[in-house]
Amino acid sequence: MPGRVSTRSGRSSAAAIPRKSSVKTLNSRASASRISSPHVLIPEEAPPSELRTRVCGVFADAQRTTAGHRKLVIILRKIQASCCYKKAGTEDAGFDEEGFNAEVGRCVIRVMGVKKSESVGDRVVRFLGLYLKHASEKDNALIPQEAADETEAFPDTPTTRLTSHVLSLLLPLLSSKEKTVRYRSTQLISHIINSLDSIDDDLFQMLRLSLLRRIHDKEAMVRVQAVLGLGRLAGNETEGDQDEVDNSDDEDGMGGLTQRLLEVLQNDASADVRRSLLLNLPLTPSTLPYLLERARDQDAATRRALYSRLLPALGDFRHLSLSMREKLLRWGLRDRDEGVRKAAGKLFRERWIEDCAGTRALPADGSEDKAPAPSFDGLLELLERIDVVNSGVENGVALEAMKGFWEGRPDYREAIALDDAFWDRLTAESVFMARSFNDFCRQEGGGKFESLVEDKMPEVTKFAFYLERYTNSLVKSLKKSVEEGAEEEDHTVEQEFIVEQLLHMALPLDYTDEVGRRKMFALLRETLAIAELPEEVTKLVIEVLRGLCGGEAAGEREFCGVVLEAVAEVHDTIMSDEETSGTTADDSFHSARSELSSDTPSKKRGKKQNASEDDEEDEQQAIREIMVNMKCLHIAQCMLSNVEGGLQSNIHLVTMLNNLVVPAVRSHEAPIRERGLLCLGLCCLLDRTLAEENITLFLHCFNKGHDALQVYALHILCDILTVHGPTLLASAAFEAGKPLFKMFGKALRADERPEVQAAACTAACKLMLGRVVRDDDLLKLLVLAYFDPSTAGNLGLRQALSYFLPVYCHSRGENQARMGRVAVPVMHGLALLGEDIDEELEEDMVPLPVVAAQLVDWTDPRKLVVAGEAASWDEMGRKESKGVNGDVHLDLAVEVLEKICSSGCSREERKILASMLGKLYITSHAAPSKLRAAHDLAADAVDDRRAASDAPSRNALAKYVAALGKVVGELGAEEASSGAKDVDVDETAEADETVPPPAVDGEGHETVLAGAGAGDETTSLPASDLTAKEAEAEAEAEAGADAVKGEKDSLLDELLEDDDDEGDP
C-alpha cells in the first residue's frame, strides 16, 4: 500500500508543457475523434525537439497494444536516465529532467479527452502506471542501503518528481465540467496510487480530499475510479489517523475515510461502485461486517463477486462467527441467481473443506496439478463448523450444501467408506454425512448412483440393529436428563439427531428382503409405543412404518391398526405409571398418619396438610392427563397425514375419531382443543360428509379464537375446499359461500395481526388459482391489500400476492375479465385511501399512475398464456399476437369512460383513469357491438367537459378515439364488402338456375348460347349490365367508410378546437 512519510520532496518540476503535438501521439488523425472535450486547457508548448519525438514515439506505440509495454517501459527508462543521470563530459541539448517531465505531462494531458469506450486511453493509463512502478524500483535500487537506513524521509528521486509533476497536472482536472475529463483524470490518479508503494505525505492528503469529492460525482464511472483509489488509501489509514480525522472540523465536513467509503458501499445507487468497493476495501474487523452484508445486495454480479472473489481471499473461514457462516451459506445456496448459487457451492466444497482438511498449501514438491487426497476428518470438522445439529434439520441449509458437495466432489463420493467401524461410532456429523450421501445417490443422477450406495450401505437387517441400538441409547438419555436436569441435555439432543438421521435413511431403503422388513417392522412398532419418544422421532417412525405396510387399502388398514395399538399402549403406560406412583405416595402417607395420630393431639393441622397435598396431586394429575392426550393426539395427527383412503371404509379411523379426536375438540384445555381441531381437519379431508358437518365449527373457531387458532382454521378450511372442490362451497352448509367470503374479508383487513392476514391471503390465492372460488369482491380485496400502504411491512402477504396476481391474470381469459371488472373500483378505492392516509404511511403509498399501469398490464390480452400455442414472430423480430380477444380491454375502457363521465369521480381520479385509455390494446378481434358502443361512449365523453378537463386527459382521450375510430372504420368497410359479395353471390345463383352459361361474341357482348335445341331463341346482354349491382355495392361501402372517417375527423377537430380555446392548464 502507498505509505506516507513526514517530509516532502525537495524538488518539483514546474517546466512549461510544449504546445505543438507530435503526429504519432493521441492527437493524431486516427484519434482525433476520440477527443470529446475541447475544454481541456493545453499549456504553452516549447518548440519541437528530439526528446519530444522520442517520448511521443514511445507513447504512440504504447497506445496500439499492450503486448510491447514492457519493452517500451525499458526504452522510456533509458530516455529518463539519459536526462537525469548524465555522465561527466556528455552534453545532450534539450535532454534534461525538466524537459522529460514536461514531455511526459504533455502526453498525459492528451489522454484526458479520450472517451471511456476507446481502449487506447486505457492502454496509455496502464503503460504509465507500469512505467512509474518500474522507474521507482530502479531509482530506489540506486540509493545506497546505508543512506536509506539513516532516514525515513520520502526519497527524492527523478521518478518521485515525475510522479508529483503528473499528479499536479491531474488534480485540477478532477473538478472539470466535462465528464470524460473527470473520468480519465480520476482513472489515472487511481491507477498511479495502486501502482506505487509510497506517496509524499502532502500529496497523500491532497489526493485523499480530491478523490473524496469525486465519490459523490453524478457519473457512476467517475465514482468507480474514485473508490478504486480511495480503497488503496484506506488500507494505509491507521486507527489513530481515523480518530484524528473524526475529531477534526475540516472545511468539507468529511469524516474518516473508511467510514465514508462504508457509507458509499451501503447507499450508492450504482452496482459497479458497490462492487468496486467490495473488492478493494481493506479486510479489517471493522469493515468485514459491511462487506459480508453485500451477500444480500440487489445486484447479482455483486453477490457473485462476494462468493467467488472476496470470501476465497479472506483466508480461513473459521475466523467467522457461527451465525455468519450459516447466513452466508444459506443466502448463497438459496440465491435466486444461478451464478451466485454455483459460486457459493464451489466455495463450500473447495475452499472451506481445504481450510478444515489443511490441504490449501501446495505440496512440498510444488506440484499444483496433484489434487489432495480426500480427508473425511476435515469433512466432519466442516460439518461441525456449520453446526449440523441445527442446520441439518428439514429446510436446513446443510442438506443443500452437502448435495452440492457430493455432486462436485466425485473423489469424496468414491472414497467414502461406511463399514462396521463407522456405524459403531456414530456422531452427529458422521451420521449426517451418511444421510446426505444416501439421499444424493438415491435422488440425483437418474439412478446412476444407486449401485454405489447399495455397495456402501449395510443390508436392512443390520441397519435395523443399528437403529435399535441408538434408539435405546436415546431413551436412556431422555430418562437420565429428566433425573439430572440440563447436564445431559446436550448429549440427548445429539442422540435424538442421530436417530432422526437414521430414520431418514430408512425411508428409501429396499424392503424386498422379507427378513429385514419384519425386523424393521417389529422395531418400529415397539419404538412407537415408547412414551418418552420425541415428537420429531415419532413423526419419522410413522412415515417409515407407512412405507413398510404398502400402498394398497389393506396395507393402509394394517398401518392404522398398528398405530392405534401404539396409541393405546402409550396411554396405558403413562396412566399406569401415574397410578403406581400415586399408590406408593398414598400408602406412605397413610402409614405416616397412623403412626403420628396417637402421639399428636391436634388433628386440625393434619387436615390442612392433607388438603394442600390433595390440591398438588390434582394439579399433577391434570398435567399428566394433558401430556397423555397431547402425545396420543400427535401420534394420531402423524398417522392421518399419511392416510389417503376413505374414512368410513376404515374402522380404525372411525374408532379413533370417536374415542380420541371428538373428546379432544370438546376439551376445556386449549392445547388439547387446538391439536384435536387439527386432527378433525385431517379427518374432514378424508370424508366429505364430515367436512360439511364441521364447517360451522371451523368458522366459529376463526371468529372466536386467538391468532394461532385463526391461522389453523384458515388452513383447514382452505385444505377442505381444495380437496372436495367448489361443489362443497355451494352446499347448504356454506350458505353459497357467504360466511367464507366474510371470513376472508375480516382477515384481510386485520392489519394489526399480520400472521392472520398473511395466512388468509395465501389461502385465498390458492383457492382462486385452483378455480375453487370465483368471486369479484374477493379479488378486489386482494388487489387492494397488495397496494395498501398499511401492508408494506407484511412481507409474507406482499410476496404471495406478487406471485399470485400476474399468474392468475395471465393464465385464463376469464381471470383477466374478472380483473378488468374490478380495476375501476380498485382505482376508486385507492384514490379514496390516498385522501385520508396518514403522513407516516404516505411514503409507502404506491402512486396511482403506477397502479393504473399495473392493472392495464394484468388485463392485457396479448400476455395471456394459451396452452399448446407456439409463439410466432414477424419479419422484424416482433412477437405476433394472433387471435387475441380484445373484449377485456374494451370492457375496461367502457367502465373507465362511464366512471370519468359520472359525478362521483374526483379530478385527480379522472386524470389517472383517462391516462389508462391510451394504454389499452384496441383490436378488431372483438365483438362489433361492443366496438360501436365504446365508440359512441367515447364520442359522448368528448362532448362532456368533465371527462377531460386538462390537456393530458384530452390527449389520452383523443388517442383512444383515433384508435377506436380506425378499427370501427375498418369493421364497417369489411361488413359492407361482405354484404356486397353476398348480394352478388345470390344473384349469380339465381342466374345459374335460369340462364345457361354466357359466351362472348365478336362485338364484345356476352350471349346466351342455345341449349340442346337448335331452334331456341337467344338474348344478348351487355357485360356491364351484369356487374351493375356489384358496382353499386362497392359505392355504398366507400360511402360508409367516408362517413366513419368524417366522424373521426370531426371528433379530432373538436378536441383540437378545445385545446386552442382553453390552452394548457
Side-chain angles (χ1 to χ4, degrees), residues 57-58 61-62 65 68-77 127:
V58 172
D61 293 337
T65 178
H69 275 188
R70 292 190 177 275
K71 181 179 179 181
L72 295 173
V73 163
I74 297 174
I75 295 174
L76 190 60
R77 173 61 183 175
F127 169 73

Side-chain angles (χ1 to χ4, degrees), residues 182-237:
R182 295 198 309 274
Y183 167 72
R184 287 298 179 188
S185 58
T186 310
Q187 180 192 24
L188 186 51
I189 289 175
S190 299
H191 193 74
I192 292 175
I193 290 174
N194 286 279
S195 300
L196 301 180
D197 295 329
S198 60
I199 297 178
D200 180 45
D201 185 64
D202 294 339
L203 193 59
F204 180 94
Q205 297 296 338
M206 294 174 60
L207 292 174
R208 178 181 178 276
L209 294 176
S210 300
L211 291 178
L212 272 174
R213 296 188 181 96
R214 289 304 98 209
I215 64 176
H216 299 296
D217 195 281
K218 62 181 180 180
E219 298 294 335
M221 61 180 182
V222 179
R223 300 199 302 273
V224 169
Q225 298 301 324
V227 300
L228 287 177
L230 289 173
R232 184 73 186 278
L233 298 180
N236 195 55
E237 187 180 52

Side-chain angles (χ1 to χ4, degrees), residues 397-551:
V397 72
L399 282 172
E400 302 171 33
M402 289 303 296
K403 175 184 174 182
F405 180 87
W406 295 117
E407 184 177 4
R409 296 302 299 263
D411 53 340
Y412 276 82
R413 198 168 60 224
E414 298 292 337
I416 186 173
L418 304 179
D419 51 10
D420 294 340
F422 173 84
W423 296 104
D424 290 336
R425 298 188 302 270
L426 284 181
T427 61
E429 292 77 21
S430 61
V431 72
F432 182 79
M433 179 185 68
R435 180 262 175 106
S436 62
F437 175 75
N438 182 68
D439 290 349
F440 170 79
C441 293
R442 297 186 185 277
Q443 298 174 5
E444 305 297 327
K448 65 179 181 180
F449 301 122
E450 285 281 351
S451 58
L452 180 64
V453 72
E454 291 293 342
D455 294 340
K456 296 181 180 295
M457 287 287 292
E459 58 271 13
V460 177
T461 306
K462 185 181 290 186
F463 186 83
F465 279 108
Y466 288 131
L467 179 58
E468 182 180 13
R469 171 183 172 184
Y470 287 102
T471 302
N472 295 335
S473 178
L474 171 62
V475 175
K476 293 179 181 178
S477 298
L478 289 171
K479 294 179 179 179
K480 193 174 181 180
S481 62
V482 173
E483 298 174 358
E484 299 183 4
E487 296 180 359
E488 287 289 328
E489 185 175 356
D490 295 338
H491 182 67
T492 303
V493 171
E494 183 177 3
Q495 291 294 323
E496 181 180 349
F497 182 79
I498 292 174
V499 174
E500 290 176 4
Q501 302 309 306
L502 290 175
L503 289 170
H504 278 294
M505 283 188 280
L507 281 171
L509 289 181
D510 184 10
Y511 292 103
T512 55
D513 179 14
E514 185 63 23
V515 176
R517 193 194 75 83
R518 290 187 178 184
K519 173 61 180 176
M520 184 68 73
F521 183 85
L523 172 64
L524 296 177
R525 169 65 183 81
E526 296 174 2
T527 303
L528 190 59
I530 300 175
E532 296 85 0
L533 206 63
E535 290 190 351
E536 185 64 26
V537 177
T538 302
K539 175 184 175 183
L540 292 172
V541 167
I542 292 177
E543 291 179 1
V544 178
L545 194 60
R546 180 66 187 91
L548 287 172
C549 293

Side-chain angles (χ1 to χ4, degrees), residues 784-1017:
L784 287 174
Y786 182 61
F787 293 111
D788 194 339
S790 61
T791 63
N794 196 341
L795 300 181
L797 179 140
R798 286 292 180 94
Q799 186 176 11
L801 290 176
S802 297
Y803 170 81
F804 162 75
L805 290 172
V807 172
Y808 178 78
C809 294
H810 297 157
S811 58
R812 291 183 176 273
E814 59 178 306
N815 297 345
Q816 274 193 337
R818 187 172 292 110
M819 178 62 74
R821 291 194 295 269
V822 304
V824 175
V826 165
M827 292 296 299
H828 182 67
L830 292 176
L832 295 178
L833 182 63
E835 296 176 358
D836 303 332
I837 193 173
D838 299 335
E839 294 182 358
E840 58 183 11
L841 296 177
E842 187 174 0
E843 60 181 9
D844 295 328
M845 183 72 182
V846 181
L848 288 181
V850 177
V851 178
Q854 188 69 76
L855 292 172
V856 171
D857 180 78
W858 287 338
T859 55
D860 192 347
R862 294 169 293 182
K863 294 188 176 182
L864 184 65
V865 179
V866 180
E869 180 179 348
S872 58
W873 310 87
D874 59 10
E875 297 179 355
M876 302 299 294
R878 295 171 297 188
K879 186 176 181 180
E880 293 182 346
S881 54
K882 298 180 180 180
V884 176
N885 183 13
D887 290 345
V888 177
H889 269 185
L890 204 60
D891 294 338
L892 178 59
V894 170
E895 293 192 13
V896 169
L897 290 170
E898 291 177 351
K899 185 65 177 179
I900 62 178
C901 293
S902 64
S903 58
C905 186
S906 62
R907 181 174 181 179
E908 288 298 324
E909 187 178 354
R910 283 195 182 95
K911 184 177 179 180
I912 302 300
L913 291 176
S915 67
M916 294 178 63
L917 294 174
K919 303 174 183 177
L920 298 179
Y921 176 67
I922 306 299
T923 177
S924 59
H925 297 285
S929 58
K930 291 185 177 182
L931 283 171
R932 293 190 176 90
H935 189 269
D936 296 340
L937 190 59
D940 296 339
V942 171
D943 298 334
D944 193 346
R945 296 289 181 179
R946 297 178 303 176
S949 59
D950 57 322
S953 300
R954 288 194 297 270
N955 294 336
L957 189 59
K959 180 179 178 181
Y960 172 74
V961 170
L964 197 59
K966 180 180 178 181
V967 174
V968 172
E970 294 176 354
L971 181 64
E974 290 178 0
E975 290 180 350
S977 176
S978 61
K981 291 181 180 178
D982 292 341
V983 172
D984 184 42
V985 169
D986 293 341
E987 292 185 354
T988 304
E990 293 177 359
D992 290 341
E993 294 177 358
T994 57
V995 183
V1000 181
D1001 60 5
E1003 298 179 359
H1005 295 85
E1006 293 182 355
T1007 60
V1008 181
L1009 300 178
D1016 294 340
E1017 297 181 356

Side-chain angles (χ1 to χ4, degrees), residues 33 120 143 288 305 327 359 407 546 663 702 795 899:
S33 62
V120 292
I143 300 176
L288 189 58
K327 287 180 181 178
T359 57
E407 184 177 4
R546 180 66 187 91
F702 175 83
L795 300 181
K899 185 65 177 179

Side-chain angles (χ1 to χ4, degrees), residues 77-92:
R77 173 61 183 175
K78 290 180 179 180
I79 299 174
Q80 184 189 27
S82 64
C83 294
C84 303
Y85 298 101
K86 293 182 179 180
K87 297 181 180 180
T90 59
E91 293 183 1
D92 293 332

Side-chain angles (χ1 to χ4, degrees), residues 93-169:
F95 278 64
D96 57 354
E97 182 179 350
E98 292 185 359
F100 177 80
N101 293 346
E103 293 301 328
V104 173
R106 177 178 174 274
C107 295
V108 169
I109 288 294
R110 265 68 179 180
V111 185
M112 295 300 101
V114 181
K115 293 182 179 180
K116 180 186 177 183
S117 58
E118 297 292 342
S119 59
V120 292
D122 298 332
R123 296 192 191 108
V124 174
V125 169
R126 291 181 59 184
F127 169 73
L128 186 60
L130 182 63
Y131 170 72
L132 292 177
K133 181 179 181 181
H134 174 77
S136 177
E137 293 174 355
K138 292 294 184 181
D139 288 341
N140 293 333
L142 296 176
I143 300 176
Q145 187 66 28
E146 296 79 6
D149 296 337
E150 290 177 359
T151 178
E152 296 180 357
F154 187 71
D156 186 13
T157 62
T159 305
T160 58
R161 293 191 290 270
L162 174 61
T163 304
S164 300
H165 173 70
V166 172
L167 292 177
S168 64
L169 292 176

